[in-house]
Amino acid sequence: MKDLVCRDQTVQALSRSISRGLGGISVAPDLLKSVLVTEAWRDRIVESTGERALFDRFGDFVAAPPPGGLGSTIESIERICREDVQALSALDDTLRRCKKRRRRSPNVKQLSMLSEGDDAGGPVSPSEDASLPAPTGNSRRAGLRRLAKQRPDLHAKVLSGETSVHAALVEAGWRAATFTASTDLDSLEKTLRQRLDARALADLGNRLMAP
């Protein structure tokens, strides 16, 4: 029982950090990781009400109003942890697993309400996890998911901070290497000579000279 209350304390800390906006961004990713890794969002006792909060899908937990849930959206949670690849990866892993499970379970109920007469196994409202499509495009979460599935070695390097998501995708051959260059011609020439080999420079020259 004490553990269920401790879980709620972490959830409430996360909820407060989200409500503070920019003021809580610095601590929100670490709190989110704790909530995800320990699955505190699934089953806990809300300390302020004494109610048992049970969720089967993370999207339901995020959407539910406080103190039972976060009163937020998956998109907002993703933006909050965008710069923390460990939190972002944990979020994506949780959403992916929730989408697979599709179990039937109660949403938020008091312990006293979970009696034999209740339809505790009845259907719950559609959660964001179930309807949210897999991340696509150039989002960091999409890159992390692809690395986790197809290049776990590079995924591990990203999570350890050894490399970035972009660099890992480039190394895997799924994204072209990019760089910035000045419009000053001398600086541009220097950058191109540093970044491109002789063959690429010759090809670029021919293309620029073409009508």
Side-chain angles (χ1 to χ4, degrees):
M1 194 70 69
K2 182 179 179 181
D3 180 60
L4 293 178
V5 175
C6 289
R7 290 183 180 186
D8 181 65
Q9 291 171 351
T10 305
V11 169
Q12 298 309 324
L14 174 60
S15 180
R16 289 191 296 271
S17 70
I18 292 174
S19 66
R20 287 198 295 267
L22 292 177
I25 293 299
S26 60
V27 297
D30 284 336
L31 290 170
L32 177 64
K33 281 185 285 188
S34 179
V35 168
L36 291 171
V37 172
T38 63
E39 294 198 325
W41 61 272
R42 262 189 203 285
D43 183 10
R44 70 188 204 280
I45 292 179
V46 180
E47 190 173 20
S48 62
T49 64
E51 295 178 359
R52 187 77 169 265
L54 298 170
F55 293 93
D56 192 53
R57 292 171 181 156
F58 187 69
D60 294 329
F61 161 72
V62 171
L70 298 180
S72 186
T73 65
I74 294 294
E75 291 78 10
S76 295
I77 299 300
E78 184 173 348
R79 284 195 296 271
I80 287 172
C81 64
R82 185 180 182 280
E83 300 304 320
D84 189 317
V85 291
Q86 292 181 344
L88 194 60
S89 182
L91 172 64
D92 186 68
D93 183 60
T94 296
L95 293 175
R96 179 176 51 78
R97 286 188 287 108
C98 285
K99 192 171 184 179
K100 285 183 177 180
R101 292 174 68 134
R102 297 182 181 277
R103 296 185 313 188
R104 290 151 67 91
S105 68
N107 200 353
V108 179
K109 291 190 175 184
Q110 294 183 9
L111 281 170
S112 59
M113 294 175 62
L114 295 178
S115 62
E116 187 176 338
D118 288 317
D119 184 18
V124 299
S125 58
S127 72
E128 285 191 66
D129 328 299
S131 59
L132 194 68
T136 58
N138 294 323
S139 70
R140 299 189 87 195
R141 188 158 72 89
L144 281 169
R145 176 172 291 195
R146 189 174 184 186
L147 288 168
K149 287 183 175 181
Q150 301 180 38
R151 290 297 304 270
D153 56 326
L154 293 178
H155 183 260
K157 287 184 177 181
V158 172
L159 295 186
S160 68
E162 188 176 339
T163 188
S164 67
V165 176
H166 175 74
L169 293 173
V170 170
E171 184 175 343
W174 300 331
R175 184 177 293 179
T178 60
F179 58 87
T180 58
S182 170
T183 55
D184 176 76
L185 294 183
D186 290 336
S187 178
L188 177 60
E189 178 187 359
K190 181 179 180 180
T191 300
L192 291 175
R193 289 187 181 280
Q194 290 175 338
R195 295 285 184 169
L196 304 179
D197 57 28
R199 183 175 181 178
L201 285 171
D203 184 45
L204 176 61
N206 291 332
R207 294 188 182 193
L208 292 174
M209 294 298 293

